[in-house]
């Protein structure tokens, strides 16, 4: 028999048919209520005795066992003798109620009252209306001011009051403010200290065409707050009164604007107000929410991306200072912004984030927390982009911490069978697939999995990432028709999801396509147009030095004089461009000296392209050791294009290998 329990009113229990079960006397109900308050945790016998009696009798423990036995008979009348109870269990030093959240009205209410703040207002209204129907009276109505009950009763009451206000907010957002007025009027009469309720009531009246009544409500609020609490209204109530008097446009978002925009404004304003009211003093909740908000801000680009990086770093630092590794893990891990470019916008900040993630990994309890661990590992992999071994002696397959982190994150995500975790983990894996040249097929497989996984599970931003990754990998094998399809798909998704940064990558891809098929002047014009999108994009890791590198790539492919305008900012590519500029200017000795001191390019999307520039410099300067080194590094990509960035191309890698072999020294 399925039993459900009720504490939102008098304490009771019902069978499957909805009939009330005989729970006997008040002590039996008190035991049940105390176990509900414990939320499935074990309550020791000694604590139960202490809570049930102010002055326990001599045989209190025996009496308690009698009450428990009576409850078990009432709750499971058909249970065979001497078989363990399914619901009211004995465990360790005490008892626990092992009901599910759906079987206790208070637990179910709490679950439903947590409907996300960004949910559709119609859903919020439906869910909260059903949740509030669970209340039959005050929580634990048949008990007085018992010490063990105070905190739980106060918590549930606060959740109910907040739910009433959120339901009213949803009605206002849905354009039916008049329906919210009766509930809010009763609400403020019973709870005159709740300023958010007064604010919502005044707003609902105003939007119902009752401006005078709205102003009267605010005057009533001012008087009651002064009489009962001796305080003046807060700044939000005062500001609303001023706005009502001047009939501010934002109070009626529909005036002169598209209906969709007005509705969005109403929802945003209502949600922001509800959040501010609900979590004003919950610093930890605010930290976690701030990090999540920065995740959405980051994809807007420009100043939004820069602000997101700055505020995210501040949130992580504050979370670490709290001394709570689980909170820190959530604050770090919630920022799962898809990343496609393999050079960090702020390397110093990225290093600090990686260090924080690794510290938090060490502090997390050894058992459990697999999802949090996965997100931390994926963060390490994503933020460590471009940091695989770069020294001349580094083995191509050398294992590094970011690479291990990527593998571990992917393994955990697949084991947990969590689509959003797996998408984040695959992003980390993608960032670490640059151990050597010629790995475009591996990245293409990651992109294909991201597209399929995201399409199945409603993860549009990761679906966009998958298409961008496939643009890059299709460019690496000269499949421009395939890259075109993925560019079109990425643009369509970006327009639907309002992700403006995607246009930067697809426009640069189309410039690469032009550079592959059109005359050099046309290619340069396409790159200039693409370069204009970099200004204000908020992505210095992408934009710095990229346009000069694109101009250089066109000149190299078409045999034109290399652009070496004084003051050119080659950004992070300067080291690998300089030997070619020296050699092409006839300064072979200086070029050879620069080549022999040159580190390997970073293991990222421009790895093959930069090695092709180094190879060309080595050929022009006649530098044997670099000829050998460049040949070894480029050989795994012999069948690919030096275009795996999806932004610039140096043509077929095979052509550069042929040039190296023709210039090879006798001792090759």
């Amino acid at each position: 028999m399925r039993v459900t329990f009720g504490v939102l009113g008098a304490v009771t229990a019902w069978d499957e048919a909805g009939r009330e079960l005989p729970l006997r006397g008040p002590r039996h109900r008190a035991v049940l209520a105390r176990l509900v308050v414990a939320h499935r945790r074990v309550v020791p016998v000694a604590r139960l005795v202490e809570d049930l009696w102010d002055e326990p009798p001599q045989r209190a423990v025996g009496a308690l066992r009698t009450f428990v036995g009576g409850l078990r008979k009432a709750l499971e009348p058909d249970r065979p003798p001497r078989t363990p109870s399914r619901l009211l269990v004995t465990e360790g030093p005490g008892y626990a109620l092992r009901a599910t959240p759906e079987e206790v009205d208070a637990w179910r209410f709490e679950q439903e009252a947590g409907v996300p703040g960004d949910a559709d207002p119609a859903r919020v209204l439906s869910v909260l209306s059903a949740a509030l129907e669970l209340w039959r009276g005050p929580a634990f109505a048949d008990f007085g001011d018992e010490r063990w009950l105070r905190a739980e009763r106060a918590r549930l009451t606060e959740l109910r009051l907040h739910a009433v206000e959120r339901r009213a907010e949803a009605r206002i957002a849905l354009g039916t403010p008049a329906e919210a007025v009766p509930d809010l009027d009763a609400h403020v009469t019973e709870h005159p200290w709740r300023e958010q309720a007064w604010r919502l009531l005044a707003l609902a009246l105003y939007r119902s065409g009752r401006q005078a009544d709205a102003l009267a409500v605010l005057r009533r609020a001012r008087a009651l707050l002064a009489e009962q609490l001796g305080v003046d209204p807060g700044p939000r109530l005062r500001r609303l009164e001023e706005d009502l008097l001047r009939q501010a446009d934002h109070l009626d978002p529909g005036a002169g604007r598209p209906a969709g925009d007005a509705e969005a404004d109403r929802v945003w304003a209502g949600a922001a107000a509800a959040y501010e009211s609900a979590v004003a003093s919950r610093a930890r909740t605010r930290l976690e929410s701030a990090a999540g908000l920065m995740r959405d801000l980051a994809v807007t680009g420009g100043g939004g991306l820069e602000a997101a990086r700055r505020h995210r770093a501040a949130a992580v630092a504050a979370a670490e200072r709290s001394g709570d590794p689980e909170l820190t893990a959530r604050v770090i891990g919630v920022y799962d912004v898809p990343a496609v470019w393999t050079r960090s916008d702020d390397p110093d900040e990225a290093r600090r984030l990686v260090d924080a993630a690794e510290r938090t990994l060490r502090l997390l309890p050894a058992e459990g927390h697999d999802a949090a661990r996965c997100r931390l590992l994926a963060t390490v992999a994503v933020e460590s982009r471009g940091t695989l071994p770069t020294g001349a002696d580094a083995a191509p397959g050398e294992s590094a911490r970011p690479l291990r982190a990527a593998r571990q994150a992917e393994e955990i995500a697949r084991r947990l069978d969590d689509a959003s975790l797996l998408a984040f983990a695959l992003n980390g894996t993608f960032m670490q697939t640059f151990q050597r040249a010629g790995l475009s097929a591996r990245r293409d497989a990651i992109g294909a999995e991201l597209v399929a996984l995201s399409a199945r599970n409603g993860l549009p931003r990761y679906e966009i990432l998958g298409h961008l990754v496939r643009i890059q990998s299709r460019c690496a094998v000269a499949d421009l028709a395939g890259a075109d399809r993925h560019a079109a798909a990425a643009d369509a998704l970006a327009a639907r999801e309002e992700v403006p940064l995607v246009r930067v990558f697809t426009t640069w891809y189309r410039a690469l396509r032009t550079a592959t098929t059109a005359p050099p002047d046309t290619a340069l014009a396409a790159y200039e147009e693409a370069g204009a999108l970099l200004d204000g994009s908020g992505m210095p890791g992408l934009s710095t030095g990229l346009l000069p590198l694109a101009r250089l790539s066109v000149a190299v492919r078409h045999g034109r004089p290399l652009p070496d305008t004084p003051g050119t900012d080659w950004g992070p590519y300067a080291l690998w461009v300089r030997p070619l500029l020296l050699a092409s200017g006839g300064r072979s000795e200086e070029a050879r000296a620069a080549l022999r001191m040159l580190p390997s390019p970073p293991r990222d999307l421009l790895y093959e392209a930069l090695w092709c520039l180094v190879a060309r410099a080595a050929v022009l300067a006649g530098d044997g050791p670099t000829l050998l080194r460049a040949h070894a590094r480029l050989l795994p990509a012999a069948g690919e294009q030096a275009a795996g960035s999806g932004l610039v191309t140096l043509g077929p890698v095979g052509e550069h290998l042929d040039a190296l072999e023709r210039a090879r020294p006798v001792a090759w």
Side-chain angles (χ1 to χ4, degrees), residues 354-393:
V354 169
D355 290 344
E358 291 183 331
R359 283 193 297 271
T360 306
L361 279 166
R362 291 192 291 271
L363 292 171
L364 277 179
E367 299 297 325
H369 304 287
D370 284 354
R373 203 176 305 279
C374 178
R375 287 186 174 276
L376 289 170
L377 290 164
T379 298
V380 170
V382 170
E383 295 295 341
S384 299
R385 62 189 87 183
T387 60
L388 283 164
T390 58
D393 298 326

Side-chain angles (χ1 to χ4, degrees), residues 534-566:
L534 296 174
D535 294 336
S537 68
M539 296 186 289
L542 173 71
S543 58
T544 307
L546 184 59
L547 186 55
L549 187 66
R551 296 183 188 123
L552 178 66
S553 69
V554 173
V556 168
R557 293 202 64 219
H558 291 275
R560 287 190 162 193
L562 302 188
D564 187 18
T565 306

Side-chain angles (χ1 to χ4, degrees), residues 336-340 342 374-386 388 401-410 420-435 442-443 446 450 462 465 469:
D336 53 353
V337 178
V340 70
T342 45
C374 178
R375 287 186 174 276
L376 289 170
L377 290 164
T379 298
V380 170
V382 170
E383 295 295 341
S384 299
R385 62 189 87 183
L388 283 164
R401 286 185 304 168
L403 181 58
R404 290 195 299 271
R407 290 170 177 165
Q408 290 167 5
E410 188 177 341
S420 61
L421 276 182
L422 181 55
F424 190 18
L426 286 171
N427 198 169
T429 300
F430 163 73
M431 285 295 176
Q432 301 301 324
T433 52
F434 299 91
Q435 295 92 341
R442 171 73 179 115
R443 292 191 285 278
I446 293 171
L450 275 170
Y462 277 106
L465 174 64
V469 169

Side-chain angles (χ1 to χ4, degrees), residues 167-185:
R167 180 174 64 177
E169 218 165 37
R171 284 177 170 147
I172 294 171
L174 288 167
T176 57
E179 295 179 11
V181 170
D183 284 348
L184 285 170
D185 203 5

Side-chain angles (χ1 to χ4, degrees), residues 633-652:
R633 298 295 183 266
L634 286 172
L635 190 59
E640 294 188 0
Q641 302 279 314
S645 65
L647 309 180
V648 299
T649 178
L650 268 295

Side-chain angles (χ1 to χ4, degrees), residues 18 102 164 187 245 247 260 314 317 394 425 453 504 566 667:
E102 292 74 26
V164 169
H187 187 58
L245 286 167
Q247 297 182 338
L453 174 76
V504 174

Side-chain angles (χ1 to χ4, degrees), residues 7-59:
V7 296
L8 300 180
V11 175
T12 189
W14 301 276
D15 64 15
E16 291 171 315
R19 294 183 295 263
E20 192 169 339
L21 296 174
L23 297 183
R24 303 192 181 184
R27 296 285 189 194
H28 295 78
R29 294 174 189 272
V31 171
L32 180 58
R34 182 63 185 85
L35 295 178
V36 169
V37 168
H39 285 262
R40 293 175 53 90
R41 293 186 296 272
V42 173
V43 183
V45 167
R47 172 57 61 83
L48 281 168
V49 167
E50 182 182 333
D51 288 341
L52 261 62
W53 286 280
D54 292 332
E55 295 182 9
Q58 287 187 345
R59 299 181 58 80

Side-chain angles (χ1 to χ4, degrees), residues 341 475 480 503-535 542-543 545-558 563 606 609 642-651:
W341 192 240
C475 286
L480 297 182
R503 181 167 166 255
V504 174
F505 292 97
T506 55
T507 301
W508 269 85
Y509 156 66
R510 293 185 177 102
L512 177 151
R513 195 188 202 295
T514 301
T516 302
T517 58
D521 289 340
T522 306
L524 287 170
Y527 274 129
E528 295 299 328
E529 182 181 344
L533 295 179
L534 296 174
D535 294 336
L542 173 71
S543 58
L546 184 59
L547 186 55
L549 187 66
R551 296 183 188 123
L552 178 66
S553 69
V554 173
V556 168
R557 293 202 64 219
H558 291 275
L606 284 166
S645 65
L647 309 180
V648 299
T649 178
L650 268 295

